[in-house]
Amino acid sequence: MIKVALLHFAFEDYTIELANSLVKYVDLTLIHPEKVSDACINVLDSNIRVISFKKPRIRDPRNLLAMGSMMQIIKDIQPDVLHVQETNDPWYDWTLLLNKMPPLVTTIHDIFRHPGDNMAVFGSEYTKRLAFYRSQQLIVHAHQLKKILIEQFSLPQERVNVIPHGELGSLYQRRNNHNSQPRDPNTLLFFGRILPYKGLKYLLEAMPLIAERVPDVKLIIAGRGENIKQYFPNGYDDKSYEIINDFIPLKEVSNLFQRSTVTVLPYIEASQSGVAALSYGMGTLVVASEVGGLTEIVQHQKDGLLVPPCDVRSLADAITCLLTDRSLQQRMQTAALARCQQDLNWFNIAAQTVEVYQEAIKTRH
């Protein structure tokens, strides 16, 4: 059995579900900073060994010691493969440059920083590229991202693997103890970090057009980021809008998706989307912009609808079409849930990931 160390500093949901399925195939140890361990409580398979280490804030020079602890953990495990979820942490990137690593697999969730994302660590955009070249194998979630790595970073195509982002609905249902919430027939959800690239302004411009045909339409905006008030200079009608401009506790996330009929992703740029992966697992329909990796997650007119980015009229038409056609809703919901048993299923994803590990071991020797 391959011995695998799985290291993550973020992307907790993805890592939890990947680990829960990987442990059926490999001897697995999960390594992470103490501050992300809260997200993993009660949702990890008990067969997974978990090791935490202290990791200070990014500007703290004691990160040097933290990286020393992390490397010691890896050396003690002596894994056949080290699998790292993209860290966006320059301390890790320099550690990667200066140390001999086991055969290394890195999952790259976002090749570039999203436009307007001021939360990223200064310099990480450049240092993270060390992982592109130091890894024996890379995993991305869309063919479009593979193309960028090959064309813009001159990586050989046999080192870049496309494995879809698995569904996250079942994880959030477990966190909520499977309590289910009735669905509101005309409720839309805009969920996640609120940043310019998410295109919220286009959805807000589309709302009056939708309301002309669906008078009781309601939009839930849930997440942290930009100040929402800038979008509503004259206030808003709380019959049409419910705004939670804050971090959403993990236990409450599933209720938002269960209540909503459609999740809207009016993004102007995207690499992949955990929000779409979560929607599909919850049976919540998706209307998304036809950009980046979204075009591969959402299968247009099968399990969701794609519209041109920044096109308010097309966005309003697609949302109205879904809200007013119950049989279309059912057909797409059935297709989305079926995909959770197919390409978005974590056991299938884990099996493909193990093949990447075998390749990494082979290319290293």
Side-chain angles (χ1 to χ4, degrees):
M1 201 183 236
I2 301 177
K3 192 191 282 190
V4 177
L6 180 60
L7 170 68
H8 72 124
F9 295 2
F11 300 104
E12 297 92 349
D13 295 348
Y14 181 90
T15 310
I16 288 164
E17 291 301 69
L18 178 63
N20 283 339
S21 294
L22 270 178
V23 76
K24 308 285 190 286
Y25 298 92
V26 301
D27 176 350
L28 186 66
T29 305
L30 181 64
I31 308 168
H32 55 211
E34 285 173 354
K35 64 171 183 277
V36 299
S37 52
D38 283 359
C40 303
I41 291 170
N42 301 332
V43 285
L44 279 172
D45 185 304
S46 57
N47 293 310
I48 300 167
R49 277 187 303 281
V50 182
I51 303 177
S52 304
F53 62 97
K54 279 193 164 54
K55 172 105 178 41
R57 293 172 73 97
I58 202 82
R59 296 184 196 285
D60 189 327
R62 285 176 300 177
N63 273 288
L64 275 172
L65 299 172
M67 292 298 101
S69 306
M70 179 191 81
M71 286 308 302
Q72 191 56 53
I73 292 165
I74 293 167
K75 287 191 177 97
D76 291 346
I77 295 167
Q78 295 188 309
D80 300 313
V81 174
L82 172 63
H83 182 182
V84 182
Q85 301 301 310
E86 162 195 321
T87 67
N88 290 313
D89 188 308
W91 296 100
Y92 164 79
D93 298 329
W94 291 115
T95 305
L96 178 60
L97 185 65
L98 300 171
N99 285 269
K100 187 174 188 303
M101 293 290 195
L104 181 64
V105 174
T106 305
T107 299
I108 306 291
H109 293 263
D110 301 305
I111 296 173
F112 303 112
R113 186 197 300 206
H114 295 297
D117 183 355
N118 54 5
M119 298 178 191
V121 180
F122 177 76
S124 64
E125 170 105 357
Y126 300 99
T127 61
K128 75 189 265 187
R129 296 174 189 181
L130 293 168
F132 297 0
Y133 301 106
R134 286 300 298 258
S135 303
Q136 273 66 46
Q137 294 287 319
L138 295 170
I139 294 170
V140 291
H141 301 313
H143 290 88
Q144 198 165 358
L145 300 180
K146 174 171 180 165
K147 192 166 179 279
I148 292 169
L149 287 173
I150 293 166
E151 291 177 2
Q152 295 186 33
F153 294 93
S154 307
L155 291 169
Q157 61 177 6
E158 60 276 10
R159 276 182 48 207
V160 187
N161 307 272
V162 181
I163 301 180
H165 190 307
E167 65 84 18
L168 296 173
S170 39
L171 168 63
Y172 279 89
Q173 282 164 341
R174 294 202 306 280
R175 281 180 170 146
N176 193 25
N177 299 326
H178 301 274
N179 294 336
S180 62
Q181 183 101 355
R183 223 175 264 286
D184 299 339
N186 294 319
T187 294
L188 312 174
L189 176 63
F190 178 95
F191 179 85
R193 293 194 310 159
I194 298 162
L195 292 166
Y197 79 92
K198 296 282 186 83
L200 176 57
K201 77 185 198 96
Y202 301 105
L203 175 54
L204 293 175
E205 286 170 27
M207 280 295 285
L209 302 177
I210 300 164
E212 282 171 16
R213 290 169 284 178
V214 186
D216 59 346
V217 65
K218 180 174 190 169
L219 170 61
I220 302 171
I221 301 171
R224 266 202 306 217
E226 296 182 292
N227 181 354
I228 294 271
K229 288 193 177 121
Q230 67 180 2
Y231 292 105
F232 297 98
N234 307 316
Y236 60 89
D237 175 1
D238 56 16
K239 286 194 191 71
S240 304
Y241 297 96
E242 180 180 329
I243 297 178
I244 313 164
N245 191 195
D246 204 352
F247 175 75
I248 313 298
L250 296 176
K251 282 184 176 163
E252 290 169 29
V253 170
S254 64
N255 286 341
L256 292 172
F257 283 83
Q258 283 172 341
R259 280 176 54 198
S260 308
T261 298
V262 181
T263 308
V264 189
L265 286 69
Y267 299 179
I268 53 178
E269 185 267 355
S271 38
Q272 36 72 34
S273 173
V275 177
L278 179 44
S279 299
Y280 279 167
M282 287 291 203
T284 309
L285 303 167
V286 174
V287 173
S289 300
E290 200 170 352
V291 291
L294 288 177
T295 58
E296 293 176 44
I297 298 172
V298 179
Q299 296 179 344
H300 182 53
Q301 293 186 329
K302 286 187 186 164
D303 50 42
L305 294 175
L306 291 168
V307 298
C310 314
D311 184 334
V312 172
R313 170 62 64 184
S314 297
L315 183 63
D317 287 347
I319 292 168
T320 306
C321 166
L322 259 185
L323 290 181
T324 54
D325 187 338
R326 293 282 183 265
S327 69
L328 178 65
Q329 282 178 26
Q330 268 175 327
R331 202 165 68 241
M332 286 191 170
Q333 197 174 37
T334 304
L337 289 168
R339 279 189 63 205
C340 295
Q341 303 307 318
Q342 297 154 6
D343 61 322
L344 306 183
N345 176 280
W346 286 103
F347 286 108
N348 295 343
I349 288 165
Q352 292 172 62
T353 305
V354 173
E355 287 174 20
V356 175
Y357 295 162
Q358 287 161 340
E359 206 51 48
I361 293 167
K362 216 162 61 188
T363 48
R364 177 68 179 266
H365 294 314

